Amino acid sequence: VFLQGDGGSKADAQQITSLQARCKALEDERDAVSDQLAEAVAKVRDEKDRAMTASALQSEIHTLLRQQDLTLELLGAREEELDDMRATLDEARVIFCEELERLMGSLPATDRWGIQSMPATNAEKGITKGKHPPHTPGGDDKLHRSIGSKGTPLSAENKLDMD
């Protein structure tokens, strides 16, 4: 637009002022949009960083879960081994006790503990057929009648038969 004479200069000055104000407003708007763009770019970077961190954490979690599974498998195998060892130990204890009882049974009664044991048969007790063992003076006949030949208490029926 060309400026003409004095009359047009006032209108032109207003138009220039108006255009300068509009230019200033557009520059301010541009600066604000530029700031918003910078904030958006920063947010995108932060989100990318978070996504990468999340991806790394997921990978680490996956690795830890695999390690946990392997550890549980190993623990289960160890527990099975331990159970097998316990069963083997229990079997060995039973065999040991059976062997000990067999060996103790094969030793003469006087050799077991160095103590002579009670006679088990009537002949060993010195009793002949039809005779009862001699009672000691002042002894309790009921005591002799209440204990069987192997030192075990007699039942009520057996006690009645002896009386």
Side-chain angles (χ1 to χ4, degrees):
V1 177
F2 291 103
L3 297 176
Q4 295 178 350
D6 288 334
S9 69
K10 197 174 194 182
D12 289 337
Q14 285 179 343
Q15 190 175 15
I16 291 175
T17 305
S18 169
L19 287 174
Q20 286 176 339
R22 179 162 161 103
C23 186
K24 173 78 170 133
L26 288 174
E27 286 175 352
D28 290 344
E29 187 177 335
R30 180 198 66 198
D31 291 344
V33 169
S34 179
D35 290 343
Q36 288 176 353
L37 179 62
E39 287 176 15
V41 168
K43 283 182 182 179
V44 167
R45 281 190 195 131
D46 289 346
E47 291 301 321
K48 281 183 180 180
D49 290 345
R50 286 182 185 165
M52 290 176 59
T53 302
S55 177
L57 289 174
Q58 284 177 338
S59 177
E60 187 176 346
I61 287 171
H62 182 70
T63 301
L64 290 173
L65 288 173
R66 279 188 288 147
Q67 288 177 352
Q68 181 187 21
D69 288 343
L70 291 173
T71 302
L72 289 174
E73 278 185 47
L74 289 174
L75 181 61
R78 295 288 185 197
E79 285 181 4
E80 286 180 21
E81 278 183 43
L82 186 59
D83 289 344
D84 290 345
M85 288 180 186
R86 284 182 179 146
T88 302
L89 182 61
D90 288 343
E91 290 173 11
R93 283 181 183 151
V94 168
I95 292 169
F96 175 77
C97 289
E98 289 173 354
E99 186 65 17
L100 184 61
E101 287 177 15
R102 186 187 68 77
L103 290 173
M104 290 297 291
S106 69
L107 292 175
T110 57
D111 289 346
R112 287 184 190 160
W113 305 108
I115 301 171
Q116 189 160 7
S117 63
M118 299 290 291
T121 63
N122 283 341
E124 290 175 343
K125 293 178 185 175
I127 301 173
T128 57
K129 199 171 193 174
K131 293 186 180 178
H132 293 287
H135 299 293
T136 57
D140 186 3
D141 281 348
K142 289 182 182 179
L143 175 65
H144 291 286
R145 282 186 264 152
S146 67
I147 299 176
S149 64
K150 293 188 178 181
T152 58
L154 295 175
S155 65
E157 294 171 0
N158 291 339
K159 285 183 185 178
L160 290 176
D161 290 342
M162 291 185 78
D163 287 336

PDB file of all heavy atoms in Angstrom, residues 31-69:
ATOM      1  N   ASP A  31       5.734 -17.672  20.135  1.00  0.00           N
ATOM      2  CA  ASP A  31       6.590 -18.009  21.278  1.00  0.00           C
ATOM      3  C   ASP A  31       5.882 -18.980  22.230  1.00  0.00           C
ATOM      4  O   ASP A  31       6.494 -19.934  22.741  1.00  0.00           O
ATOM      5  CB  ASP A  31       7.000 -16.735  22.026  1.00  0.00           C
ATOM      6  CG  ASP A  31       7.968 -15.860  21.226  1.00  0.00           C
ATOM      7  OD1 ASP A  31       8.554 -16.383  20.243  1.00  0.00           O
ATOM      8  OD2 ASP A  31       8.132 -14.674  21.582  1.00  0.00           O
ATOM      9  N   ALA A  32       4.585 -18.743  22.448  1.00  0.00           N
ATOM     10  CA  ALA A  32       3.815 -19.630  23.333  1.00  0.00           C
ATOM     11  C   ALA A  32       3.716 -21.037  22.733  1.00  0.00           C
ATOM     12  O   ALA A  32       3.905 -22.043  23.425  1.00  0.00           O
ATOM     13  CB  ALA A  32       2.429 -19.045  23.582  1.00  0.00           C
ATOM     14  N   VAL A  33       3.436 -21.107  21.416  1.00  0.00           N
ATOM     15  CA  VAL A  33       3.350 -22.415  20.736  1.00  0.00           C
ATOM     16  C   VAL A  33       4.715 -23.086  20.752  1.00  0.00           C
ATOM     17  O   VAL A  33       4.829 -24.306  20.940  1.00  0.00           O
ATOM     18  CB  VAL A  33       2.797 -22.234  19.303  1.00  0.00           C
ATOM     19  CG1 VAL A  33       2.943 -23.510  18.492  1.00  0.00           C
ATOM     20  CG2 VAL A  33       1.348 -21.782  19.338  1.00  0.00           C
ATOM     21  N   SER A  34       5.761 -22.311  20.568  1.00  0.00           N
ATOM     22  CA  SER A  34       7.117 -22.851  20.613  1.00  0.00           C
ATOM     23  C   SER A  34       7.413 -23.433  21.994  1.00  0.00           C
ATOM     24  O   SER A  34       7.994 -24.528  22.113  1.00  0.00           O
ATOM     25  CB  SER A  34       8.123 -21.758  20.255  1.00  0.00           C
ATOM     26  OG  SER A  34       9.435 -22.250  20.312  1.00  0.00           O
ATOM     27  N   ASP A  35       7.004 -22.712  23.050  1.00  0.00           N
ATOM     28  CA  ASP A  35       7.192 -23.220  24.418  1.00  0.00           C
ATOM     29  C   ASP A  35       6.394 -24.514  24.632  1.00  0.00           C
ATOM     30  O   ASP A  35       6.895 -25.475  25.230  1.00  0.00           O
ATOM     31  CB  ASP A  35       6.774 -22.172  25.451  1.00  0.00           C
ATOM     32  CG  ASP A  35       7.733 -20.984  25.512  1.00  0.00           C
ATOM     33  OD1 ASP A  35       8.879 -21.125  25.003  1.00  0.00           O
ATOM     34  OD2 ASP A  35       7.338 -19.932  26.075  1.00  0.00           O
ATOM     35  N   GLN A  36       5.150 -24.540  24.131  1.00  0.00           N
ATOM     36  CA  GLN A  36       4.325 -25.746  24.252  1.00  0.00           C
ATOM     37  C   GLN A  36       4.960 -26.917  23.514  1.00  0.00           C
ATOM     38  O   GLN A  36       4.960 -28.055  23.995  1.00  0.00           O
ATOM     39  CB  GLN A  36       2.913 -25.488  23.724  1.00  0.00           C
ATOM     40  CG  GLN A  36       2.070 -24.604  24.600  1.00  0.00           C
ATOM     41  CD  GLN A  36       0.708 -24.291  23.971  1.00  0.00           C
ATOM     42  OE1 GLN A  36       0.443 -24.629  22.808  1.00  0.00           O
ATOM     43  NE2 GLN A  36      -0.145 -23.635  24.741  1.00  0.00           N
ATOM     44  N   LEU A  37       5.513 -26.621  22.325  1.00  0.00           N
ATOM     45  CA  LEU A  37       6.188 -27.656  21.546  1.00  0.00           C
ATOM     46  C   LEU A  37       7.401 -28.192  22.311  1.00  0.00           C
ATOM     47  O   LEU A  37       7.626 -29.406  22.362  1.00  0.00           O
ATOM     48  CB  LEU A  37       6.610 -27.104  20.181  1.00  0.00           C
ATOM     49  CG  LEU A  37       7.354 -28.082  19.262  1.00  0.00           C
ATOM     50  CD1 LEU A  37       6.473 -29.269  18.928  1.00  0.00           C
ATOM     51  CD2 LEU A  37       7.814 -27.372  17.992  1.00  0.00           C
ATOM     52  N   ALA A  38       8.162 -27.301  22.914  1.00  0.00           N
ATOM     53  CA  ALA A  38       9.334 -27.724  23.689  1.00  0.00           C
ATOM     54  C   ALA A  38       8.905 -28.602  24.869  1.00  0.00           C
ATOM     55  O   ALA A  38       9.538 -29.630  25.167  1.00  0.00           O
ATOM     56  CB  ALA A  38      10.106 -26.504  24.170  1.00  0.00           C
ATOM     57  N   GLU A  39       7.802 -28.210  25.537  1.00  0.00           N
ATOM     58  CA  GLU A  39       7.290 -29.015  26.650  1.00  0.00           C
ATOM     59  C   GLU A  39       6.828 -30.379  26.152  1.00  0.00           C
ATOM     60  O   GLU A  39       7.087 -31.409  26.796  1.00  0.00           O
ATOM     61  CB  GLU A  39       6.135 -28.283  27.338  1.00  0.00           C
ATOM     62  CG  GLU A  39       6.546 -27.092  28.172  1.00  0.00           C
ATOM     63  CD  GLU A  39       5.352 -26.345  28.767  1.00  0.00           C
ATOM     64  OE1 GLU A  39       4.227 -26.908  28.770  1.00  0.00           O
ATOM     65  OE2 GLU A  39       5.549 -25.210  29.223  1.00  0.00           O
ATOM     66  N   ALA A  40       6.140 -30.403  25.006  1.00  0.00           N
ATOM     67  CA  ALA A  40       5.654 -31.666  24.445  1.00  0.00           C
ATOM     68  C   ALA A  40       6.832 -32.572  24.074  1.00  0.00           C
ATOM     69  O   ALA A  40       6.804 -33.783  24.321  1.00  0.00           O
ATOM     70  CB  ALA A  40       4.768 -31.397  23.230  1.00  0.00           C
ATOM     71  N   VAL A  41       7.865 -31.998  23.468  1.00  0.00           N
ATOM     72  CA  VAL A  41       9.056 -32.780  23.112  1.00  0.00           C
ATOM     73  C   VAL A  41       9.713 -33.342  24.369  1.00  0.00           C
ATOM     74  O   VAL A  41      10.129 -34.507  24.401  1.00  0.00           O
ATOM     75  CB  VAL A  41      10.042 -31.923  22.282  1.00  0.00           C
ATOM     76  CG1 VAL A  41      11.395 -32.610  22.147  1.00  0.00           C
ATOM     77  CG2 VAL A  41       9.462 -31.615  20.903  1.00  0.00           C
ATOM     78  N   ALA A  42       9.799 -32.543  25.415  1.00  0.00           N
ATOM     79  CA  ALA A  42      10.386 -33.005  26.673  1.00  0.00           C
ATOM     80  C   ALA A  42       9.558 -34.148  27.268  1.00  0.00           C
ATOM     81  O   ALA A  42      10.106 -35.145  27.760  1.00  0.00           O
ATOM     82  CB  ALA A  42      10.499 -31.846  27.661  1.00  0.00           C
ATOM     83  N   LYS A  43       8.223 -34.014  27.203  1.00  0.00           N
ATOM     84  CA  LYS A  43       7.350 -35.081  27.709  1.00  0.00           C
ATOM     85  C   LYS A  43       7.531 -36.362  26.909  1.00  0.00           C
ATOM     86  O   LYS A  43       7.564 -37.462  27.468  1.00  0.00           O
ATOM     87  CB  LYS A  43       5.883 -34.641  27.673  1.00  0.00           C
ATOM     88  CG  LYS A  43       5.504 -33.698  28.771  1.00  0.00           C
ATOM     89  CD  LYS A  43       4.022 -33.332  28.703  1.00  0.00           C
ATOM     90  CE  LYS A  43       3.658 -32.331  29.782  1.00  0.00           C
ATOM     91  NZ  LYS A  43       2.226 -31.966  29.703  1.00  0.00           N
ATOM     92  N   VAL A  44       7.650 -36.209  25.584  1.00  0.00           N
ATOM     93  CA  VAL A  44       7.857 -37.385  24.727  1.00  0.00           C
ATOM     94  C   VAL A  44       9.165 -38.080  25.100  1.00  0.00           C
ATOM     95  O   VAL A  44       9.231 -39.308  25.195  1.00  0.00           O
ATOM     96  CB  VAL A  44       7.816 -36.991  23.237  1.00  0.00           C
ATOM     97  CG1 VAL A  44       8.338 -38.117  22.348  1.00  0.00           C
ATOM     98  CG2 VAL A  44       6.418 -36.587  22.833  1.00  0.00           C
ATOM     99  N   ARG A  45      10.219 -37.299  25.316  1.00  0.00           N
ATOM    100  CA  ARG A  45      11.508 -37.876  25.728  1.00  0.00           C
ATOM    101  C   ARG A  45      11.358 -38.611  27.056  1.00  0.00           C
ATOM    102  O   ARG A  45      11.887 -39.718  27.232  1.00  0.00           O
ATOM    103  CB  ARG A  45      12.568 -36.783  25.858  1.00  0.00           C
ATOM    104  CG  ARG A  45      13.147 -36.355  24.557  1.00  0.00           C
ATOM    105  CD  ARG A  45      14.361 -35.453  24.755  1.00  0.00           C
ATOM    106  NE  ARG A  45      14.670 -34.781  23.514  1.00  0.00           N
ATOM    107  CZ  ARG A  45      14.891 -33.488  23.388  1.00  0.00           C
ATOM    108  NH1 ARG A  45      14.857 -32.699  24.440  1.00  0.00           N
ATOM    109  NH2 ARG A  45      15.173 -32.969  22.222  1.00  0.00           N
ATOM    110  N   ASP A  46      10.678 -37.970  28.009  1.00  0.00           N
ATOM    111  CA  ASP A  46      10.461 -38.613  29.314  1.00  0.00           C
ATOM    112  C   ASP A  46       9.689 -39.922  29.158  1.00  0.00           C
ATOM    113  O   ASP A  46      10.031 -40.935  29.779  1.00  0.00           O
ATOM    114  CB  ASP A  46       9.703 -37.677  30.273  1.00  0.00           C
ATOM    115  CG  ASP A  46      10.550 -36.512  30.759  1.00  0.00           C
ATOM    116  OD1 ASP A  46      11.796 -36.555  30.587  1.00  0.00           O
ATOM    117  OD2 ASP A  46       9.969 -35.534  31.309  1.00  0.00           O
ATOM    118  N   GLU A  47       8.662 -39.895  28.325  1.00  0.00           N
ATOM    119  CA  GLU A  47       7.859 -41.102  28.107  1.00  0.00           C
ATOM    120  C   GLU A  47       8.685 -42.193  27.424  1.00  0.00           C
ATOM    121  O   GLU A  47       8.557 -43.371  27.748  1.00  0.00           O
ATOM    122  CB  GLU A  47       6.597 -40.779  27.287  1.00  0.00           C
ATOM    123  CG  GLU A  47       5.587 -39.942  28.043  1.00  0.00           C
ATOM    124  CD  GLU A  47       5.104 -40.592  29.331  1.00  0.00           C
ATOM    125  OE1 GLU A  47       4.898 -41.826  29.356  1.00  0.00           O
ATOM    126  OE2 GLU A  47       4.941 -39.860  30.328  1.00  0.00           O
ATOM    127  N   LYS A  48       9.556 -41.787  26.477  1.00  0.00           N
ATOM    128  CA  LYS A  48      10.437 -42.764  25.836  1.00  0.00           C
ATOM    129  C   LYS A  48      11.381 -43.375  26.866  1.00  0.00           C
ATOM    130  O   LYS A  48      11.620 -44.588  26.875  1.00  0.00           O
ATOM    131  CB  LYS A  48      11.238 -42.115  24.701  1.00  0.00           C
ATOM    132  CG  LYS A  48      10.467 -41.929  23.426  1.00  0.00           C
ATOM    133  CD  LYS A  48      11.360 -41.346  22.332  1.00  0.00           C
ATOM    134  CE  LYS A  48      10.609 -41.150  21.037  1.00  0.00           C
ATOM    135  NZ  LYS A  48      11.460 -40.584  19.981  1.00  0.00           N
ATOM    136  N   ASP A  49      11.941 -42.519  27.737  1.00  0.00           N
ATOM    137  CA  ASP A  49      12.831 -43.013  28.791  1.00  0.00           C
ATOM    138  C   ASP A  49      12.089 -43.979  29.713  1.00  0.00           C
ATOM    139  O   ASP A  49      12.614 -45.036  30.084  1.00  0.00           O
ATOM    140  CB  ASP A  49      13.417 -41.855  29.606  1.00  0.00           C
ATOM    141  CG  ASP A  49      14.430 -41.025  28.811  1.00  0.00           C
ATOM    142  OD1 ASP A  49      14.896 -41.495  27.747  1.00  0.00           O
ATOM    143  OD2 ASP A  49      14.747 -39.901  29.268  1.00  0.00           O
ATOM    144  N   ARG A  50      10.870 -43.604  30.090  1.00  0.00           N
ATOM    145  CA  ARG A  50      10.060 -44.482  30.950  1.00  0.00           C
ATOM    146  C   ARG A  50       9.750 -45.797  30.246  1.00  0.00           C
ATOM    147  O   ARG A  50       9.775 -46.866  30.864  1.00  0.00           O
ATOM    148  CB  ARG A  50       8.774 -43.781  31.356  1.00  0.00           C
ATOM    149  CG  ARG A  50       8.971 -42.709  32.379  1.00  0.00           C
ATOM    150  CD  ARG A  50       7.665 -42.084  32.784  1.00  0.00           C
ATOM    151  NE  ARG A  50       7.890 -40.961  33.680  1.00  0.00           N
ATOM    152  CZ  ARG A  50       6.985 -40.064  33.976  1.00  0.00           C
ATOM    153  NH1 ARG A  50       5.776 -40.149  33.459  1.00  0.00           N
ATOM    154  NH2 ARG A  50       7.269 -39.086  34.799  1.00  0.00           N
ATOM    155  N   ALA A  51       9.445 -45.712  28.956  1.00  0.00           N
ATOM    156  CA  ALA A  51       9.149 -46.928  28.193  1.00  0.00           C
ATOM    157  C   ALA A  51      10.370 -47.831  28.126  1.00  0.00           C
ATOM    158  O   ALA A  51      10.261 -49.055  28.281  1.00  0.00           O
ATOM    159  CB  ALA A  51       8.668 -46.565  26.790  1.00  0.00           C
ATOM    160  N   MET A  52      11.544 -47.224  27.921  1.00  0.00           N
ATOM    161  CA  MET A  52      12.773 -48.015  27.888  1.00  0.00           C
ATOM    162  C   MET A  52      13.043 -48.629  29.261  1.00  0.00           C
ATOM    163  O   MET A  52      13.439 -49.792  29.368  1.00  0.00           O
ATOM    164  CB  MET A  52      13.946 -47.157  27.415  1.00  0.00           C
ATOM    165  CG  MET A  52      13.867 -46.787  25.943  1.00  0.00           C
ATOM    166  SD  MET A  52      15.176 -45.675  25.388  1.00  0.00           S
ATOM    167  CE  MET A  52      16.634 -46.605  25.744  1.00  0.00           C
ATOM    168  N   THR A  53      12.817 -47.844  30.319  1.00  0.00           N
ATOM    169  CA  THR A  53      13.012 -48.349  31.676  1.00  0.00           C
ATOM    170  C   THR A  53      12.030 -49.479  31.952  1.00  0.00           C
ATOM    171  O   THR A  53      12.402 -50.518  32.518  1.00  0.00           O
ATOM    172  CB  THR A  53      12.821 -47.216  32.707  1.00  0.00           C
ATOM    173  OG1 THR A  53      13.755 -46.173  32.419  1.00  0.00           O
ATOM    174  CG2 THR A  53      13.036 -47.708  34.117  1.00  0.00           C
ATOM    175  N   ALA A  54      10.778 -49.295  31.536  1.00  0.00           N
ATOM    176  CA  ALA A  54       9.766 -50.331  31.734  1.00  0.00           C
ATOM    177  C   ALA A  54      10.143 -51.593  30.970  1.00  0.00           C
ATOM    178  O   ALA A  54      10.009 -52.708  31.486  1.00  0.00           O
ATOM    179  CB  ALA A  54       8.400 -49.826  31.297  1.00  0.00           C
ATOM    180  N   SER A  55      10.639 -51.427  29.763  1.00  0.00           N
ATOM    181  CA  SER A  55      11.063 -52.569  28.962  1.00  0.00           C
ATOM    182  C   SER A  55      12.224 -53.298  29.644  1.00  0.00           C
ATOM    183  O   SER A  55      12.244 -54.526  29.707  1.00  0.00           O
ATOM    184  CB  SER A  55      11.466 -52.110  27.576  1.00  0.00           C
ATOM    185  OG  SER A  55      11.946 -53.178  26.816  1.00  0.00           O
ATOM    186  N   ALA A  56      13.185 -52.528  30.147  1.00  0.00           N
ATOM    187  CA  ALA A  56      14.326 -53.128  30.849  1.00  0.00           C
ATOM    188  C   ALA A  56      13.851 -53.849  32.112  1.00  0.00           C
ATOM    189  O   ALA A  56      14.319 -54.956  32.427  1.00  0.00           O
ATOM    190  CB  ALA A  56      15.354 -52.060  31.202  1.00  0.00           C
ATOM    191  N   LEU A  57      12.911 -53.238  32.835  1.00  0.00           N
ATOM    192  CA  LEU A  57      12.383 -53.872  34.047  1.00  0.00           C
ATOM    193  C   LEU A  57      11.613 -55.149  33.716  1.00  0.00           C
ATOM    194  O   LEU A  57      11.716 -56.148  34.433  1.00  0.00           O
ATOM    195  CB  LEU A  57      11.491 -52.889  34.823  1.00  0.00           C
ATOM    196  CG  LEU A  57      12.217 -51.735  35.513  1.00  0.00           C
ATOM    197  CD1 LEU A  57      11.208 -50.770  36.117  1.00  0.00           C
ATOM    198  CD2 LEU A  57      13.162 -52.255  36.584  1.00  0.00           C
ATOM    199  N   GLN A  58      10.846 -55.122  32.632  1.00  0.00           N
ATOM    200  CA  GLN A  58      10.137 -56.330  32.222  1.00  0.00           C
ATOM    201  C   GLN A  58      11.116 -57.438  31.865  1.00  0.00           C
ATOM    202  O   GLN A  58      10.916 -58.599  32.222  1.00  0.00           O
ATOM    203  CB  GLN A  58       9.222 -56.034  31.026  1.00  0.00           C
ATOM    204  CG  GLN A  58       7.968 -55.290  31.393  1.00  0.00           C
ATOM    205  CD  GLN A  58       7.119 -54.955  30.181  1.00  0.00           C
ATOM    206  OE1 GLN A  58       7.609 -54.897  29.052  1.00  0.00           O
ATOM    207  NE2 GLN A  58       5.839 -54.720  30.415  1.00  0.00           N
ATOM    208  N   SER A  59      12.170 -57.079  31.195  1.00  0.00           N
ATOM    209  CA  SER A  59      13.201 -58.056  30.847  1.00  0.00           C
ATOM    210  C   SER A  59      13.842 -58.624  32.112  1.00  0.00           C
ATOM    211  O   SER A  59      14.054 -59.839  32.226  1.00  0.00           O
ATOM    212  CB  SER A  59      14.259 -57.407  29.961  1.00  0.00           C
ATOM    213  OG  SER A  59      15.283 -58.313  29.680  1.00  0.00           O
ATOM    214  N   GLU A  60      14.125 -57.760  33.069  1.00  0.00           N
ATOM    215  CA  GLU A  60      14.722 -58.201  34.330  1.00  0.00           C
ATOM    216  C   GLU A  60      13.748 -59.101  35.094  1.00  0.00           C
ATOM    217  O   GLU A  60      14.154 -60.124  35.657  1.00  0.00           O
ATOM    218  CB  GLU A  60      15.106 -56.990  35.175  1.00  0.00           C
ATOM    219  CG  GLU A  60      15.878 -57.349  36.434  1.00  0.00           C
ATOM    220  CD  GLU A  60      16.343 -56.134  37.218  1.00  0.00           C
ATOM    221  OE1 GLU A  60      16.313 -55.016  36.682  1.00  0.00           O
ATOM    222  OE2 GLU A  60      16.744 -56.334  38.379  1.00  0.00           O
ATOM    223  N   ILE A  61      12.479 -58.733  35.100  1.00  0.00           N
ATOM    224  CA  ILE A  61      11.465 -59.558  35.769  1.00  0.00           C
ATOM    225  C   ILE A  61      11.396 -60.926  35.110  1.00  0.00           C
ATOM    226  O   ILE A  61      11.335 -61.958  35.793  1.00  0.00           O
ATOM    227  CB  ILE A  61      10.088 -58.858  35.744  1.00  0.00           C
ATOM    228  CG1 ILE A  61      10.083 -57.697  36.727  1.00  0.00           C
ATOM    229  CG2 ILE A  61       8.967 -59.833  36.070  1.00  0.00           C
ATOM    230  CD1 ILE A  61       8.851 -56.815  36.633  1.00  0.00           C
ATOM    231  N   HIS A  62      11.419 -60.946  33.798  1.00  0.00           N
ATOM    232  CA  HIS A  62      11.391 -62.216  33.068  1.00  0.00           C
ATOM    233  C   HIS A  62      12.595 -63.082  33.449  1.00  0.00           C
ATOM    234  O   HIS A  62      12.454 -64.281  33.704  1.00  0.00           O
ATOM    235  CB  HIS A  62      11.353 -61.945  31.561  1.00  0.00           C
ATOM    236  CG  HIS A  62      11.271 -63.172  30.733  1.00  0.00           C
ATOM    237  ND1 HIS A  62      10.142 -63.957  30.675  1.00  0.00           N
ATOM    238  CD2 HIS A  62      12.186 -63.765  29.920  1.00  0.00           C
ATOM    239  CE1 HIS A  62      10.364 -64.974  29.874  1.00  0.00           C
ATOM    240  NE2 HIS A  62      11.591 -64.876  29.401  1.00  0.00           N
ATOM    241  N   THR A  63      13.758 -62.471  33.501  1.00  0.00           N
ATOM    242  CA  THR A  63      14.974 -63.188  33.890  1.00  0.00           C
ATOM    243  C   THR A  63      14.857 -63.708  35.319  1.00  0.00           C
ATOM    244  O   THR A  63      15.198 -64.871  35.600  1.00  0.00           O
ATOM    245  CB  THR A  63      16.209 -62.267  33.767  1.00  0.00           C
ATOM    246  OG1 THR A  63      16.309 -61.819  32.414  1.00  0.00           O
ATOM    247  CG2 THR A  63      17.480 -62.981  34.165  1.00  0.00           C
ATOM    248  N   LEU A  64      14.373 -62.881  36.224  1.00  0.00           N
ATOM    249  CA  LEU A  64      14.223 -63.296  37.626  1.00  0.00           C
ATOM    250  C   LEU A  64      13.205 -64.426  37.764  1.00  0.00           C
ATOM    251  O   LEU A  64      13.393 -65.345  38.580  1.00  0.00           O
ATOM    252  CB  LEU A  64      13.831 -62.104  38.498  1.00  0.00           C
ATOM    253  CG  LEU A  64      14.917 -61.047  38.704  1.00  0.00           C
ATOM    254  CD1 LEU A  64      14.352 -59.830  39.434  1.00  0.00           C
ATOM    255  CD2 LEU A  64      16.101 -61.620  39.453  1.00  0.00           C
ATOM    256  N   LEU A  65      12.145 -64.382  36.991  1.00  0.00           N
ATOM    257  CA  LEU A  65      11.150 -65.460  37.040  1.00  0.00           C
ATOM    258  C   LEU A  65      11.747 -66.776  36.540  1.00  0.00           C
ATOM    259  O   LEU A  65      11.470 -67.838  37.117  1.00  0.00           O
ATOM    260  CB  LEU A  65       9.902 -65.086  36.229  1.00  0.00           C
ATOM    261  CG  LEU A  65       9.010 -64.016  36.853  1.00  0.00           C
ATOM    262  CD1 LEU A  65       7.897 -63.610  35.884  1.00  0.00           C
ATOM    263  CD2 LEU A  65       8.415 -64.517  38.165  1.00  0.00           C
ATOM    264  N   ARG A  66      12.562 -66.706  35.491  1.00  0.00           N
ATOM    265  CA  ARG A  66      13.240 -67.923  35.020  1.00  0.00           C
ATOM    266  C   ARG A  66      14.181 -68.454  36.096  1.00  0.00           C
ATOM    267  O   ARG A  66      14.234 -69.663  36.344  1.00  0.00           O
ATOM    268  CB  ARG A  66      14.013 -67.653  33.733  1.00  0.00           C
ATOM    269  CG  ARG A  66      13.140 -67.666  32.503  1.00  0.00           C
ATOM    270  CD  ARG A  66      13.939 -67.595  31.226  1.00  0.00           C
ATOM    271  NE  ARG A  66      14.468 -66.241  31.120  1.00  0.00           N
ATOM    272  CZ  ARG A  66      15.627 -65.921  30.570  1.00  0.00           C
ATOM    273  NH1 ARG A  66      16.393 -66.841  30.058  1.00  0.00           N
ATOM    274  NH2 ARG A  66      16.030 -64.668  30.526  1.00  0.00           N
ATOM    275  N   GLN A  67      14.921 -67.561  36.749  1.00  0.00           N
ATOM    276  CA  GLN A  67      15.816 -67.981  37.831  1.00  0.00           C
ATOM    277  C   GLN A  67      15.027 -68.597  38.976  1.00  0.00           C
ATOM    278  O   GLN A  67      15.449 -69.602  39.563  1.00  0.00           O
ATOM    279  CB  GLN A  67      16.639 -66.795  38.341  1.00  0.00           C
ATOM    280  CG  GLN A  67      17.712 -66.334  37.388  1.00  0.00           C
ATOM    281  CD  GLN A  67      18.453 -65.100  37.905  1.00  0.00           C
ATOM    282  OE1 GLN A  67      18.076 -64.501  38.889  1.00  0.00           O
ATOM    283  NE2 GLN A  67      19.513 -64.718  37.202  1.00  0.00           N
ATOM    284  N   GLN A  68      13.883 -68.000  39.298  1.00  0.00           N
ATOM    285  CA  GLN A  68      13.044 -68.541  40.374  1.00  0.00           C
ATOM    286  C   GLN A  68      12.555 -69.943  40.007  1.00  0.00           C
ATOM    287  O   GLN A  68      12.578 -70.852  40.851  1.00  0.00           O
ATOM    288  CB  GLN A  68      11.861 -67.616  40.629  1.00  0.00           C
ATOM    289  CG  GLN A  68      10.965 -68.117  41.756  1.00  0.00           C
ATOM    290  CD  GLN A  68       9.700 -67.301  41.904  1.00  0.00           C
ATOM    291  OE1 GLN A  68       9.283 -66.618  40.980  1.00  0.00           O
ATOM    292  NE2 GLN A  68       9.094 -67.387  43.066  1.00  0.00           N
ATOM    293  N   ASP A  69      12.119 -70.132  38.779  1.00  0.00           N
ATOM    294  CA  ASP A  69      11.658 -71.452  38.342  1.00  0.00           C
ATOM    295  C   ASP A  69      12.775 -72.486  38.456  1.00  0.00           C
ATOM    296  O   ASP A  69      12.562 -73.599  38.953  1.00  0.00           O
ATOM    297  CB  ASP A  69      11.136 -71.396  36.902  1.00  0.00           C
ATOM    298  CG  ASP A  69       9.808 -70.665  36.785  1.00  0.00           C
ATOM    299  OD1 ASP A  69       9.130 -70.485  37.817  1.00  0.00           O
ATOM    300  OD2 ASP A  69       9.452 -70.276  35.649  1.00  0.00           O
TER     301      ASP A  69
END
